[in-house]
Amino acid sequence: MLPIIVHAAENFCLHQLRLPYQRISNPSKKRTLLAYIDIEAYDGTFHRVYIGCDDTLIQTIAETFLGEEESDEQTLIDMLLETTNMIVGSAKVLAEESYETSMSIMTPFFASDGMSESDSEEIQHLEVEAGEMTIALKRL
């Protein structure tokens, strides 16, 4: 399941943000805003998908979509929730089209500033220009 979501996140970087990315294994310890969305897989299992962006990346996203060079905290949180919805929504389409499986997605929620290793079972980090994105998955 995580590879589908990472693929959707990579597509988001390339096609929505128009920015290059690379997978990284050692993310920096910068402050990260974190949102999650629950999904139900075709086999009836439930997972929680976490999407996190550091301040630099989420501000870049807000500037891209809203034209704001400096956004307030609530706008950044709203943008993170929308980003989470777009990435996981895209993963749902990818799952159906490319992987011949399906999933149902719920509503995204703001989690906090950052995540602990116990919050996820699988995790991938992307470096997007000067910012970083975390994509993680945990079975519920």
Side-chain angles (χ1 to χ4, degrees), residues 1-10 23 91 94 99 122 124 135 137:
M1 181 82 55
L2 186 67
I4 298 169
I5 299 162
V6 170
H7 184 186
E10 292 168 343
R23 293 183 185 195
L94 282 171
Y99 295 88
E122 299 178 80
Q124 178 65 61
I135 305 108
L137 186 69

Side-chain angles (χ1 to χ4, degrees), residues 1 4 90-103:
M1 181 82 55
I4 298 169
S90 177
K92 180 182 188 306
V93 172
L94 282 171
E96 292 168 355
E97 292 178 352
S98 302
Y99 295 88
E100 298 180 0
T101 188
S102 63
M103 66 173 82

